[in-house]
């Protein structure tokens, strides 16, 4: 989704802004632009296409300003074009604004402004913002230091939807004002300088000290300070938060792509996720949680709500929670859940999973559950992300920054953490299940087993070379393997653009088998000892119809039946998705590479989906 960068300090702003935008490229975008305050006023440089195109714009090298704002746009209202790119100005060119999010009432505001003599030059929702600021600025007869802040605040109060905005004003050449609502924005504090970004990694090489903003907190930035105001423009205090990630962990470390690097980081990411929470011989510990035995025993249901891969992490763990805790557990897609008036009350625990912690639908679903009286717990990878500011409880995967759009290490870390959480619930509830001991042992063995599994990389690459030109690929599995089939299929679609479907193997006969014809590729995942025979029979049915099969299994199977067999390390069935997904992550990666595609930034996709 769109990215925001800003700088106010003593250095030349433009290289810092462009560098920051380059670091945000992974979020997905189609145009880019910057605005700086120059001696002659505000200068705007923007165009559609890649950030690096900004280097070719006339006059970019002559920019001397030490204050600037920058943006990568992912088109929502209006096609990718220079006119629709940010920054946008008001008609008088007094203000320059970049914006992330969606202004839902922009038609109404546009009409209001048009009726008041304003003209619009783009098709964006954003262009109403600088003009609305101008409208209030002009109406204000007081000419004091807070005039700009008042105008921005009044404009923001008229906006419906989500926004993170940066504003420059030519009458206040030594300030920048920023504010957010339901869209990420952080401020990095330096020595006589401040950095602004929608994402911490983009400015991590400049500072590790951050101010995290809540909705409707207005910040007046100058070179040596950041002043915070609430909705009523009363000054507020904010603490600086030190972020532990270092910039190098957000770089590629010699790998061709972030995705491959992140796949290989999984053993370590899992180690970090386990941290001190799990110990073979003592109870699981979550110091962030204070759930009592009585509370957990009183629950009538657990909801796990998330989007995309994060939702698959929930599905992968539903069984563990139900088996260990005997609490009915439902998993839902956030964008569906929030609009279906779910049966949630104070006896429901709602868990929200989000790598970025910024996914708009997941955050909205969380807010809904809070309103209905449920306790809310979020599992995220990003400390201080928006969702953590809404949830009653936040626990972190500690997988390190995930840059590639296709989620890999975040998924496996989420599944690890959810399994540990299930054990923690069961132990707190006093449930005794003999499998807990074995499960704990196997979770602690995971980093090693994932390392071992990564060694099959070359074999997967060979198979990918055979099938990268396919039009359709099918994934089959049963139980947790069905969830892995879904996740493998999503990974493949996302980065290789090959049409793929996943099915519960038992459903095959109820329709999908009609699609099976000679030479079609079918991938079977078989890790559950109780279900392996059944899935083998389903694969036999597709082989009979001429399908090529690749099988991923940790069970004893007849290798000769299938074209390709990938043997993976065995583990406890509850956590097998953490291992069985590895060959499928590699499979989608190598197919995309074989096709010469941009693995880290697949078309049409964004890393964090901050709008509905
Ligand atoms: O940041 P989140 O975990 O909330 O993101 C949810 C989905 O957008 C995300 O998992 C998406 O499906 C990934 N691109 C999958 O690889």
């Amino acid at each position: 989704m769109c990215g925001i960068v800003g700088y106010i300090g003593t250095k030349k702003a433009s290289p810092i802004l462009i560098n920051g935008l380059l670091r945000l490229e992974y979020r997905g975008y189609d145009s880019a632009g910057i605005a700086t305050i120059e001696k002659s006023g505000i200068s705007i440089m923007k165009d559609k296409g890649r950030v690096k195109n900004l280097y070719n714009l006339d006059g970019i090298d002559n920019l001397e300003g030490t204050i600037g704002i920058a943006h990568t746009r992912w088109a929502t209202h209006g096609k990718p074009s220079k006119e629709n790119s940010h920054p946008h100005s008001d008609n008088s060119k007094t203000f320059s604004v970049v914006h992330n999010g969606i202004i839902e009432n922009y038609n109404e505001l546009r009409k209001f402004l048009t009726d008041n003599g304003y003209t619009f030059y783009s098709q964006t929702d954003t262009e109403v913002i600088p003009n609305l600021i101008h409208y209030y600025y002009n109406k204000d007869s007081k000419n004091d230091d807070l005039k700009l802040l008042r105008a921005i605040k009044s404009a923001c109060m008229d906006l419906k939807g989500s926004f993170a905005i940066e504003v420059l004003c030519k009458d206040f050449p030594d300030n920048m004002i920023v504010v957010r609502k339901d869209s990420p924005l952080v401020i990095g504090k330096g020595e006589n300088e401040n950095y602004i970004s929608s994402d911490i990694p983009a400015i991590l090489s400049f500072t590790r000290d951050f101010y995290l903003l809540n909705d409707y907190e207005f910040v007046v930035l100058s070179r040596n300070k950041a002043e915070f105001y609430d909705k009523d423009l009363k000054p507020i205090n904010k603490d600086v938060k030190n972020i532990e990630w270092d910039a190098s962990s957000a770089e590629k470390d010699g790998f061709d792509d972030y995705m491959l690097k992140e796949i290989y980081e999984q053993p370590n990411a899992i180690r970090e996720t386990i941290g001190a929470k799990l110990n073979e011989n003592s109870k699981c510990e979550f110091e962030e949680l204070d759930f009592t035995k009585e509370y957990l025993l009183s629950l009538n249901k657990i909801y796990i709500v998330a989007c995309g891969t994060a939702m698959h992490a929930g599905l992968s763990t539903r069984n563990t929670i139900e088996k260990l805790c005997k609490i009915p557990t439902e998993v839902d897609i956030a964008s569906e859940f929030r609009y279906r008036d779910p049966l949630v009350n104070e006896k429901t625990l709602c868990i929200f999973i989000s790598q970025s912690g910024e996914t708009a639908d997941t955050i909205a679903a969380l807010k809904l559950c809070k309103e209905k009286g449920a306790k809310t717990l979020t599992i995220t990878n990003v400390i201080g992300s928006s969702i953590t500011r809404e949830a009653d409880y936040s626990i972190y995967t500690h997988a390190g920054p995930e840059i590639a759009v296709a989620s890999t290490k975040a998924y496996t870390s989420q599944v690890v953490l959810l399994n540990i959480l299930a054990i923690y619930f069961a132990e707190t509830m006093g449930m005794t299940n003999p499998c807990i001991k074995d499960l704990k042992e196997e979770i602690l063995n995971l980093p090693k087993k994932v390392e071992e599994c990564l060694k099959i990389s070359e074999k997967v690459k060979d198979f990918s070379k055979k099938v990268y030109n396919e039009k359709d690929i099918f994934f089959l599995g049963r139980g947790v393997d069905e969830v892995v089939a879904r996740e493998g299929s999503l990974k493949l679609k996302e980065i290789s653009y090959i049409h793929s479907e996943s099915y519960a193997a038992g459903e095959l006969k109820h329709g999908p088998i009609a699609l099976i014809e000679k030479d079609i590729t079918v991938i079977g995942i078989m890790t559950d000892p109780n279900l392996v025979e059944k899935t083998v029979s389903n694969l036999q049915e597709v082989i009979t119809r001429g399908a090529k099969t690749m099988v991923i299994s940790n069970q004893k199977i007849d290798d000769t039946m299938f074209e390709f067999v990938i043997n993976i390390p065995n583990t406890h069935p509850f956590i097998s998705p953490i291992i069985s997904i590895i060959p499928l992550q590699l499979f989608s990666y190598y197919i995309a590479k074989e096709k010469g595609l941009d693995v880290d930034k697949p078309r049409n996709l964004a890393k964090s989906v901050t709008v509905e």
Side-chain angles (χ1 to χ4, degrees), residues 105-160:
N105 59 337
Y106 88 102
N107 267 327
E108 194 186 301
L109 293 172
R110 204 169 160 123
K111 180 166 182 324
F112 167 79
L113 289 163
T114 310
D115 292 347
N116 279 279
Y118 289 83
T119 307
F120 288 87
Y121 300 95
S122 78
Q123 293 133 18
T124 64
D125 51 342
T126 302
E127 204 184 351
V128 298
I129 303 175
N131 286 304
L132 203 54
I133 295 172
H134 178 264
Y135 170 82
Y136 284 113
Y137 190 75
N138 251 7
K139 265 182 49 171
D140 192 340
S141 51
K142 270 207 233 156
N143 265 324
D144 58 2
D145 287 352
L146 292 181
K147 180 174 170 135
L148 175 59
L149 182 61
R150 279 195 299 275
I152 293 173
K153 183 244 160 158
S154 303
C156 287
M157 291 309 166
D158 286 351
L159 304 178
K160 290 202 179 114

Side-chain angles (χ1 to χ4, degrees), residues 307-310 354-356 359 405-407 490-491 494 609:
C307 301
T309 290
S354 175
Q355 186 286 130
S356 61
T359 301
V405 166
S407 183
L490 177 68
K491 282 293 87 84
E494 268 190 300
V609 183

Side-chain angles (χ1 to χ4, degrees), residues 428-605:
T428 310
M429 292 165 84
M431 308 295 262
T432 46
N433 188 324
C435 88
I436 289 185
K437 189 169 178 336
D438 190 26
L439 181 58
K440 280 183 168 179
E441 202 179 303
E442 281 303 321
I443 293 176
L444 291 166
N445 284 336
L446 272 173
K448 281 226 149 34
K449 292 199 174 176
V450 171
E451 249 157 43
E452 198 185 320
C453 188
L454 284 164
K455 294 189 186 142
I456 43 96
S457 166
E458 282 304 310
K459 198 164 180 195
V460 177
K461 194 174 182 178
D462 288 348
F463 188 68
S464 312
K465 282 187 176 157
K466 289 191 178 186
V467 297
Y468 76 95
N469 268 327
E470 299 289 298
K471 291 240 160 337
D472 314 278
I473 294 184
F474 292 85
F475 292 77
L476 300 179
R478 286 171 182 256
V480 281
D481 295 331
E482 187 267 329
V483 183
V484 174
R486 290 195 202 199
E487 174 59 9
S489 170
L490 177 68
K491 282 293 87 84
L492 185 70
K493 300 185 178 86
E494 268 190 300
I495 62 166
S496 76
Y497 317 145
I498 293 178
H499 167 247
S500 96
E501 299 283 346
S502 66
Y503 292 105
E507 271 295 289
L508 207 59
K509 288 196 201 63
H510 300 283
I513 201 161
L515 297 170
I516 303 299
E517 54 189 14
K518 190 166 174 333
D519 285 337
I520 206 136
T521 299
V522 178
I523 297 176
I525 302 109
M526 297 185 286
T527 66
D528 188 331
N530 298 320
L531 300 170
V532 65
E533 285 307 323
K534 299 200 180 298
T535 310
V536 167
S537 304
N538 297 126
L539 287 169
Q540 184 62 66
E541 288 156 9
V542 300
I543 292 170
T544 309
R545 285 158 183 85
K548 292 195 288 252
T549 49
M550 172 169 97
V551 155
I552 293 162
S553 185
N554 54 17
Q555 301 296 308
K556 260 199 155 24
I557 48 168
D558 175 5
D559 288 22
T560 56
M561 269 181 75
F562 310 106
E563 185 135 343
F564 234 79
V565 176
I566 307 275
N567 291 305
I568 56 169
N570 202 351
T571 188
H572 192 286
F574 287 169
I575 51 172
S576 68
I578 297 161
I579 299 184
S580 52
I581 193 59
I582 307 280
L584 296 179
Q585 293 170 344
L586 290 165
F587 178 65
S588 56
Y589 173 81
Y590 286 123
I591 288 198
K593 285 303 270 186
E594 208 57 49
K595 293 177 85 172
L597 297 171
D598 186 342
V599 176
D600 289 335
K601 295 189 284 283
R603 71 184 180 204
N604 305 339
L605 291 176

Side-chain angles (χ1 to χ4, degrees), residues 3 82 101 284 340 375 414:
K82 183 172 178 179
C284 287
R340 72 175 172 87
K375 280 204 166 119
Q414 286 159 354

Side-chain angles (χ1 to χ4, degrees), residues 281-351:
N281 301 314
S282 54
K283 286 189 173 172
C284 287
E285 279 184 36
F286 281 86
E287 57 190 26
E288 313 86 331
L289 306 180
D290 57 7
F291 297 146
T292 60
K293 177 175 183 175
E294 292 66 37
Y295 168 71
L296 290 168
L297 285 170
S298 76
L299 291 176
N300 57 18
K301 192 190 282 179
I302 292 180
Y303 265 120
I304 302 181
V305 182
C307 301
T309 290
M311 198 274 294
H312 293 159
L315 282 175
S316 304
T317 330
R318 176 176 53 191
N319 205 25
T320 318
I321 300 177
E322 290 198 336
K323 288 270 171 348
L324 297 189
C325 310
K326 309 283 178 231
I327 306 174
T329 303
E330 271 192 54
V331 181
D332 209 344
I333 300 168
S335 55
E336 291 294 317
F337 177 85
R338 61 183 287 198
Y339 291 116
R340 72 175 172 87
D341 195 13
L343 295 175
V344 169
N345 56 34
E346 61 290 344
K347 291 203 157 141
T348 324
L349 171 65
C350 299
I351 302 177

